[in-house]
Amino acid sequence: MNTRQDMILSPSLLSSDFSRLADELAALEAAGLKWVHWDVMDGAFVPNITFGPPVIRACRRNSGLFFDVHLMIENPGRFVGEFARAGADLICVHAEAETHLERTVSLIRTCGAKAAVALNPHTPLDVVEYLLPQLDMVLVMSVNPGFGGQSFIPFCVDKVRHLRAMIDACGSQALIQVDGGVALANTRELTLAGADVLVSGSAFFSQPPYAERLRLFQAAAAGQEPAA
């Protein structure tokens, strides 16, 4: 069980009101959130298109949130510098999308951002085993990427548990993030398995006010209340 820190909730803007992004970011910050998750999709690696660097750059000017930028794009190393300059605090690339993964991880850190690698549900953990000392975070996808509102894949809990053992065994400080189908009902199970950062989209944004939603997720992570 991970006891290093309190759970971090990183709401996914994929489920926010795109017409009011600046207002949504301000509301998250006012509610006490610290992180926000940007799902960047290119219509090639995944069948959807969302945000790019210009949108992140425009929002960065007025937001103090930690920008957790998840690149679901082909050959992400081409765009690392651009997203870093736009204001990404952390850049996460998919192992499945990058031929030279170590080089891209090193580039992210050279650009001044924290480095993370995402794994699709079917991708084995040994893909990142040797990179763990260089990573700030590993993202375990608990749905197949591309769309919000999907159902959580249950075997991903065991994947988180095994990843926690790998990280602890090698002495890495990498966080574990889980993205996909995260809701109050599975929050406690995920944090017990070793997750540090939970991404929640529709289960968070569909039930304002955001401060109360954050409180419920924190309580669920700590096992203080039954899931609602």
Side-chain angles (χ1 to χ4, degrees):
M1 181 176 67
N2 174 32
T3 58
R4 292 183 302 169
Q5 63 172 53
D6 293 333
M7 180 273 295
I8 297 168
L9 186 63
S10 189
S12 172
L13 290 172
L14 189 63
S15 297
S16 69
D17 183 346
F18 283 11
S19 71
R20 302 175 52 254
L21 276 181
D23 293 337
E24 291 277 48
L25 289 169
L28 291 174
E29 198 165 355
L33 276 300
K34 303 300 182 186
W35 286 40
V36 68
H37 190 82
W38 294 85
D39 287 301
V40 176
M41 304 181 188
D42 64 356
F45 180 67
V46 293
N48 203 354
I49 298 173
T50 55
F51 317 101
V55 174
I56 292 175
R57 183 179 298 109
C59 291
R60 173 81 287 173
R61 298 187 191 112
N62 298 308
S63 177
L65 293 168
F66 184 90
F67 279 15
D68 161 24
V69 178
H70 176 193
L71 302 185
M72 287 176 272
I73 64 178
E74 292 185 347
N75 302 313
R78 299 172 298 161
F79 300 102
V80 162
E82 193 170 351
F83 278 99
R85 289 189 294 273
D89 294 295
L90 178 148
I91 297 174
C92 183
V93 299
H94 269 263
E96 304 86 1
E98 186 54 76
T99 302
H100 303 289
L101 187 57
E102 192 281 333
R103 183 165 67 191
T104 299
V105 166
S106 296
L107 177 60
I108 293 170
R109 303 192 88 171
T110 298
C111 290
K114 293 185 181 297
V117 170
L119 302 175
N120 283 340
H122 72 281
T123 303
L125 295 174
D126 59 11
V127 169
V128 295
E129 182 176 3
Y130 292 104
L131 278 175
L132 289 176
Q134 296 173 244
L135 295 176
D136 297 290
M137 192 175 76
V138 179
L139 167 52
V140 174
M141 291 298 301
S142 44
V143 299
N144 290 292
F147 297 97
Q150 299 183 66
S151 297
F152 182 84
I153 298 174
F155 70 67
C156 292
V157 175
D158 282 336
K159 192 172 184 180
V160 171
R161 191 175 292 113
H162 293 155
L163 177 58
R164 169 55 57 205
M166 288 173 60
I167 289 173
D168 291 346
C170 74
S172 170
Q173 295 301 305
L175 301 176
I176 298 175
Q177 184 177 70
V178 181
D179 181 5
V182 173
L184 292 177
N186 54 27
T187 289
R188 179 62 172 168
E189 186 177 24
L190 288 168
T191 54
L192 286 173
D196 302 288
V197 185
L198 299 182
V199 176
S200 183
S202 55
F204 179 87
F205 280 101
S206 66
Q207 299 190 56
Y210 299 157
E212 175 62 10
R213 205 64 182 156
L214 171 61
R215 186 193 70 79
L216 288 173
F217 269 96
Q218 290 173 330
Q224 295 172 356
E225 295 182 3

